[in-house]
Amino acid sequence: MAISRFILFLNHDFPSDCLGHARQELFYQQQFKSLIQLLYARSDWHFCLTLTEEISQWLLSYHPEAIQALTEISHRKQLEMLGGPFNNAFLPMLANSNRLEQLESSSVWLRSTFGRKPRGIHIPYGIWEPQLAQTLAACGIEFTFAPRELFLEANCPDPSHPYIVEEGGKSLFVIPYHQLDDQKTPEEELHFLLSLPSKNESILGLCLMNGNTAWLEKMMNMLHANGAQFYLPTPYFKKMPATTHTFPLIYLPTSTGKILDSNESFYRNAILKRREARWLYARVMYSLLMARQIKNDKSRKKNASQSIAKVQNHQFYWHSYFGGLSHPGLREFAYSELLASDQLARDAKAVTSYGLVRTDFDFDGLQENIYHSPLYMVMNHQKGGVMFEFSIFSAQKNLFNIYYQGEDLDETRRGFHDLFLPTDTTYTQWIGELVDRGIFENSYYELKESKNDPASLLYVRELPIQETLLEIRKHYFYKNTEFQVQYQLLNNALGMIEKIFGVELNLSSSKGYEYYFNKEKLAHATEIEHVNTLTVIESDSGCGFEIQLSQSASIWIKKIFNSVTMEKEIKEIYQGDSLLIRWACSLASTNLQQYTITIKPMINCL
């Protein structure tokens, strides 16, 4: 006997604010509006809908008629709203206090908007960790959904009816569900559902995530034609006679990476395997810590928390529906909100002093270095001795927020990468990634104590090169309005070194950069010779910096593009610019060469 009772629930990612109102409006008109019209017209359907607080606020501002239609459908007892965090966050990845705060805020919002408190929740892509049971139950959530594959992994013989999950003495219902795939034909999905084993009281959840409206209607018509019945969860549980029906207890395993098309055994490894994602995740945790230091200022604390909540949307951490981590606009938006939160903490005097802080920022066992000034903030890493964040607070911009699409998921391209190139390297080879960049940028530098200047860092690395030993001493000096990077290159053996020494800066932007050399704007900046000073301005924000060099150098500039999958289509998207500062390096045994790069942050330059 095939399963004939279902609970349908729908979930849509929504374009982030950073993609602009026009993009949000287009998505609404092309997809969300047709979905609401279909749901409103089909008075014979019963379904659940996840509508986050973030999406609800947008709809109330620009399309209140959509909220009115959903409210009417709810009053017809066809619709049950599902709760969730402020936006579609992967809930287990939030700090526990943050989970509670967001779930309670969303519950209050949905109750005030639709007149009913949500009793259930669906977490995007069925992410599950056992501790969620305790958190959800503590927030008054009575049921949730989990992929039927998780039940099979728990050796459950019959994943076709609700179970009870428990953690720390708190429990709730969990409903197995099948993820509908609109890339398959409705006939294929129907054949699969009809093949599932069933008992008389079987009921299965059906989830459609970012689905096609026409496909959904055809699928539902076919299910109804085959005698399917659809239920709302809360009435379903209320009608269950407690004296004659019990629900079995089950402990579900943690979600694997399979739900994100990865072979990882733990989904977090699938999300955070790219260093850019780990840095963003760690940056959120850092801003949360800053926001918690705000005392006696409820308004700033609330606004800071809301800015952070926007960045906890799952879309920012992987290659999600709208491009995710590889989309420059999404990354820009994420850091803009985090820097806005940090500025609120500063304004509330939660940050009482500036200077250099050392901490394991990104959970890799190494001590990263963070420098704060009233104007800017930078972060340094021992891998390559690089600078992986360069943020200007007033512009709410991280200029080193670039995404590198390489095969090595741990490799990144940010700021102050040390390259040793063959002397005959051409510009064409560099822009085509056809050159040996040397071994320094992916090696780990030793961090030396700098006793004389508490606002400086000294990174040291010695490696073999051209049958000799080259030592790099890379010294960062930080001041309130500028910073310097002083290089000392020392040949520690008997051989001769003949290389091009390059320092690469990779600048993120969705709009592009303008370059000024000898006080004149360059029309086409690619290869610039005899540079002592170069001004770099981001076209959108008007912020940037001036580069001052102790010795004249040539600078190569190229634009960076990556393939980004957006709404199931692959597009070439501009990511930013890469600058390579080049000096000829000729070092005999025991010889020393020195170079200094001074960076002066600038704001309001357009």
Side-chain angles (χ1 to χ4, degrees):
M1 178 180 178
I3 297 176
S4 60
R5 303 195 303 170
F6 299 97
I7 296 173
L8 173 68
F9 59 100
L10 309 171
N11 196 335
H12 259 281
D13 284 326
F14 202 76
S16 172
D17 289 347
C18 67
L19 297 179
H21 174 72
R23 183 68 195 85
Q24 292 174 317
E25 181 66 27
L26 181 64
F27 180 81
Y28 173 81
Q29 294 293 341
Q30 290 183 342
Q31 296 192 42
F32 210 71
K33 182 179 179 180
S34 61
L35 174 66
I36 294 175
Q37 289 174 334
L38 173 63
L39 299 176
Y40 186 84
R42 296 302 298 260
S43 59
D44 56 330
W45 288 13
H46 293 83
F47 59 95
C48 302
L49 179 66
T50 296
L51 201 63
T52 67
E53 184 177 345
E54 185 179 35
I55 297 175
S56 299
Q57 290 177 356
W58 188 89
L59 290 174
L60 277 174
S61 297
Y62 300 104
H63 290 284
E65 71 279 4
I67 296 294
Q68 293 171 3
L70 291 173
T71 302
E72 183 176 336
I73 299 171
S74 176
H75 289 163
R76 294 188 329 215
K77 298 184 178 180
Q78 292 176 245
L79 165 65
E80 181 166 353
M81 299 301 300
L82 300 177
F86 174 81
N87 53 35
N88 269 349
F90 284 147
L91 198 60
M93 294 181 65
L94 307 185
N96 188 54
S97 59
N98 196 219
R99 283 183 228 152
L100 294 169
E101 178 185 345
Q102 289 204 33
L103 288 172
E104 289 170 357
S105 173
S106 177
S107 179
V108 170
W109 175 267
L110 288 173
R111 184 171 185 174
S112 65
T113 305
F114 295 98
R116 295 178 185 176
K117 173 186 174 182
R119 298 180 180 275
I121 183 175
H122 169 242
I123 302 166
Y125 297 90
I127 294 292
W128 179 259
E129 290 187 33
Q131 75 268 21
L132 272 181
Q134 188 172 19
T135 302
L136 297 179
C139 292
I141 298 296
E142 298 175 7
F143 65 88
T144 186
F145 300 86
R148 65 186 301 275
E149 289 77 10
L150 276 186
F151 291 81
L152 296 174
E153 290 175 23
N155 295 319
C156 170
D158 184 22
S160 59
H161 61 79
Y163 286 75
I164 297 285
V165 287
E166 177 274 338
E167 181 74 15
K170 300 287 187 179
S171 63
L172 72 157
F173 294 110
V174 59
I175 303 168
Y177 77 86
H178 168 66
Q179 181 75 47
L180 294 171
D181 184 358
D182 63 357
Q183 297 302 298
K184 299 179 180 177
T185 66
E187 289 80 6
E188 288 176 311
E189 284 287 12
L190 180 65
H191 176 76
F192 173 79
L193 293 173
L194 293 177
S195 69
L196 295 177
S198 169
K199 295 181 180 179
N200 290 334
E201 296 181 351
S202 293
I203 189 166
L204 180 68
L206 296 178
C207 174
L208 185 60
M209 184 87 181
N210 300 320
N212 178 276
T213 301
W215 187 95
L216 172 64
E217 183 173 24
K218 185 175 181 180
M219 184 75 222
M220 290 292 286
N221 288 339
M222 292 176 64
L223 284 167
H224 278 292
N226 279 270
Q229 296 177 297
F230 288 83
Y231 294 81
L232 299 181
T234 296
Y236 170 81
F237 287 119
K238 283 184 176 180
K239 290 179 181 179
M240 279 290 178
T243 55
T244 61
H245 192 95
T246 60
F247 295 91
L249 178 67
I250 192 169
Y251 289 90
L252 295 174
T254 297
S255 296
T256 68
K258 185 177 180 181
I259 56 177
L260 303 174
D261 299 322
S262 168
N263 293 324
E264 297 286 347
S265 59
F266 183 24
Y267 78 93
R268 290 201 193 197
N269 292 332
I271 295 171
L272 300 178
K273 60 185 177 181
R274 281 199 174 272
R275 188 173 285 270
E276 291 97 341
R278 294 202 300 275
W279 278 341
L280 179 58
Y281 173 75
R283 191 63 174 78
V284 168
M285 295 298 133
Y286 180 83
S287 292
L288 273 172
L289 181 63
M290 297 275 284
R292 288 174 187 151
Q293 307 306 312
I294 300 176
K295 308 295 182 184
N296 304 318
D297 194 332
K298 292 183 178 179
S299 177
R300 282 195 174 101
K301 191 165 189 172
K302 179 181 179 181
N303 290 336
S305 297
Q306 287 179 341
S307 288
I308 295 169
K310 293 177 182 179
V311 188
Q312 291 172 320
N313 191 318
H314 74 87
Q315 296 184 53
F316 293 105
Y317 298 92
W318 63 298
H319 304 300
S320 50
Y321 190 69
F322 293 105
L325 182 66
S326 55
H327 192 290
L330 287 172
R331 293 196 313 276
E332 283 185 2
F333 176 81
Y335 274 93
S336 175
E337 292 296 331
L338 293 175
L339 289 166
S341 174
D342 293 348
Q343 187 62 55
L344 287 167
R346 288 164 166 244
D347 295 342
K349 309 301 181 185
V351 178
T352 57
S353 62
Y354 299 107
L356 200 58
V357 177
R358 188 170 297 174
T359 183
D360 183 8
F361 168 81
D362 59 355
F363 323 116
D364 63 355
L366 299 174
Q367 295 291 297
E368 283 73 54
N369 293 276
I370 306 171
Y371 177 78
H372 284 264
S373 85
L375 175 62
Y376 69 94
M377 179 175 74
V378 297
M379 297 189 184
N380 295 93
H381 200 281
Q382 281 184 246
K383 185 176 182 180
V386 301
M387 182 181 291
F388 63 93
E389 179 171 341
F390 172 25
S391 293
I392 299 176
F393 280 103
S394 60
Q396 295 181 9
K397 181 81 177 180
N398 174 13
L399 295 173
F400 287 170
N401 180 24
I402 197 78
Y403 173 79
Y404 174 62
Q405 195 173 42
E407 294 182 4
D408 182 355
L409 303 181
D410 199 49
E411 183 181 355
T412 60
R413 301 274 178 93
R414 294 294 172 107
F416 297 96
H417 290 263
D418 307 327
L419 311 184
F420 288 88
L421 310 175
T423 56
D424 59 352
T425 300
T426 65
Y427 176 76
T428 301
Q429 289 173 326
W430 177 64
I431 65 173
E433 298 285 336
L434 301 174
V435 62
D436 180 4
R437 296 167 62 91
I439 58 177
F440 278 88
E441 71 168 335
N442 287 315
S443 65
Y444 286 84
Y445 284 50
E446 182 182 359
L447 178 61
K448 299 282 190 178
E449 294 292 335
S450 184
K451 298 179 180 179
N452 297 329
D453 187 352
S456 70
L457 302 168
L458 176 59
Y459 291 100
V460 179
R461 189 69 169 113
E462 183 183 69
L463 286 171
I465 183 173
Q466 288 187 323
E467 298 183 356
T468 186
L469 287 174
L470 174 63
E471 178 182 315
I472 294 184
R473 300 178 67 84
K474 187 175 185 178
H475 211 155
Y476 290 91
F477 293 92
Y478 294 112
K479 299 178 182 179
N480 280 347
T481 58
E482 67 180 41
F483 63 87
Q484 286 186 343
V485 187
Q486 295 183 2
Y487 283 94
Q488 290 183 332
L489 310 182
L490 179 63
N491 186 345
N492 284 338
L494 298 178
M496 184 72 184
I497 298 175
E498 294 285 352
K499 289 284 187 178
I500 295 296
F501 172 53
V503 178
E504 189 177 83
L505 309 179
N506 294 282
L507 309 176
S508 58
S509 175
S510 59
K511 303 296 183 181
Y513 284 89
E514 298 176 0
Y515 298 92
Y516 294 82
F517 179 51
N518 292 333
K519 298 183 179 180
E520 293 186 2
K521 182 179 176 180
L522 299 177
H524 302 286
T526 53
E527 302 174 73
I528 314 171
E529 300 296 331
H530 311 298
V531 179
N532 290 102
T533 302
L534 183 71
T535 301
V536 184
I537 304 298
E538 209 265 337
S539 302
D540 186 39
S541 64
C543 74
F545 55 92
E546 184 179 82
I547 303 173
Q548 295 180 355
L549 305 176
S550 61
Q551 298 181 34
S552 177
S554 65
I555 296 181
W556 289 350
I557 301 172
K558 66 178 177 180
K559 296 190 179 300
I560 303 171
F561 290 84
N562 279 336
S563 298
V564 179
T565 302
M566 298 176 60
E567 301 177 64
K568 304 175 183 178
E569 293 183 9
I570 299 177
K571 301 179 181 180
E572 286 293 311
I573 301 293
Y574 170 70
Q575 300 283 342
D577 286 6
S578 182
L579 280 67
L580 182 64
I581 304 169
R582 303 167 65 254
W583 290 282
C585 176
S586 180
L587 279 174
S589 176
T590 71
N591 280 9
L592 173 73
Q593 285 188 357
Q594 299 186 72
Y595 309 95
T596 300
I597 302 172
T598 301
I599 302 292
K600 295 186 174 183
M602 305 168 68
I603 58 174
N604 301 324
C605 298
L606 294 179

